[in-house]
Amino acid sequence: GDEINLVNQSFSIAFWAKRDPASGIDLTMIQGTSDDDNKVLYLGFYSDGTFMFDFQNNELTTPEAYGDYDWHHWTCTYDATDNTRIIYRDGVAVAQDTASADYQGTGKFIIGRSFNGSMDDIYVYPRPISEVEIQALMQNAWQIVAALRDYHEDQGRFPPAYTTDRNGKRMHSWRVLILPHLDEQGLYDRFRLNEPWNSPHNFHLLSEIPDVF
């Protein structure tokens, strides 16, 4: 959206992506429409499988081309204090440089419109996040996926986005429903599922929801 302002600032963009076979140039994210240097942000893949983190004519590209079509976690960080720009793949830095200038672009932040494949868990941070933080993001995602699979195995279906009472009022989200599959059976048992999430009893339990979410 227009509210994402990255001009002259440090930032990080993290996401999961899975390319479709036989893809050409795949842009996961774009911002800006100017022809001027440093005023358009491009994140994505060239047709040869290399990954770009480009401010327009101010580009960092991975030295290695990636030809597989599995899910991978990508993070692009920029530190405006020293112009350090880094690309991480699956929690490991795979390219780094010193940008010639800060990013200057504005406009709509477009996600996935020019990407042939799937994306998930997209985050934008107003600072360069660390490698440890990136690895934690990845680990959290895998824990949630495993919990959802366990729930499906037990229940024969994935959890609903939320439960409702007989009048259709929202009660509890899927996050509460998968707590037993995150080794949080004790916390789950303390929730009163016949009361809404924000009842006096349930509301104070929300602070104990695990950080994996």
Side-chain angles (χ1 to χ4, degrees):
D2 292 339
E3 70 278 5
I4 298 179
N5 179 13
L6 305 177
V7 174
N8 295 326
Q9 297 183 31
S10 299
F11 62 88
S12 299
I13 302 173
F15 58 94
W16 288 89
K18 181 180 184 294
R19 300 179 73 201
D20 287 342
S23 296
I25 295 178
D26 280 329
L27 297 177
T28 58
M29 297 165 196
I30 307 171
Q31 186 185 45
T33 58
S34 173
D35 292 330
D36 295 336
D37 292 353
N38 301 302
K39 289 196 173 181
V40 183
L41 177 67
Y42 299 103
L43 272 65
F45 300 88
Y46 282 113
S47 56
D48 65 358
T50 55
F51 188 92
M52 72 180 86
F53 180 15
D54 185 16
F55 296 169
Q56 181 136 300
N57 298 321
N58 179 3
E59 179 183 63
L60 173 62
T61 307
T62 59
E64 182 178 346
Y66 303 99
D68 70 273
Y69 301 103
D70 297 326
W71 281 101
H72 291 283
H73 190 267
W74 295 90
T75 305
C76 296
T77 68
Y78 178 66
D79 190 339
T81 62
D82 60 8
N83 301 103
T84 298
R85 183 168 48 182
I86 306 175
I87 299 172
Y88 295 85
R89 181 180 186 262
D90 295 335
V92 177
V94 293
Q96 178 174 337
D97 74 349
T98 300
S100 59
D102 290 338
Y103 172 59
Q104 301 289 320
T106 59
K108 291 183 177 180
F109 194 84
I110 300 170
I111 299 173
R113 182 181 296 176
S114 301
F115 182 67
N116 296 302
S118 302
M119 298 177 63
D120 204 352
D121 282 346
I122 301 163
Y123 295 92
V124 180
Y125 299 88
R127 59 182 177 82
I129 61 176
S130 68
E131 186 169 317
V132 171
E133 290 174 298
I134 293 166
Q135 292 171 353
L137 278 177
M138 293 176 55
Q139 180 63 30
N140 290 351
W142 283 119
Q143 285 183 265
I144 292 172
V145 168
L148 289 170
R149 287 174 176 169
D150 288 346
Y151 182 99
H152 186 278
E153 184 174 334
D154 286 348
Q155 304 293 327
R157 59 182 174 81
F158 288 109
Y162 52 86
T163 61
T164 62
D165 66 12
R166 66 182 62 184
N167 297 315
K169 181 180 179 180
R170 295 188 181 190
M171 300 290 282
H172 295 277
S173 79
W174 61 272
R175 294 172 178 82
V176 171
L177 300 181
I178 69 170
L179 284 175
H181 305 284
L182 290 167
D183 296 324
E184 293 286 353
Q185 183 69 52
L187 177 58
Y188 177 81
D189 290 341
R190 289 162 59 199
F191 273 94
R192 294 175 181 171
L193 299 182
N194 62 337
E195 298 179 8
W197 66 272
N198 58 350
S199 72
H201 173 82
N202 288 330
F203 189 75
H204 83 276
L205 296 177
L206 298 180
S207 63
E208 300 182 40
I209 292 290
D211 291 339
V212 69
F213 295 113

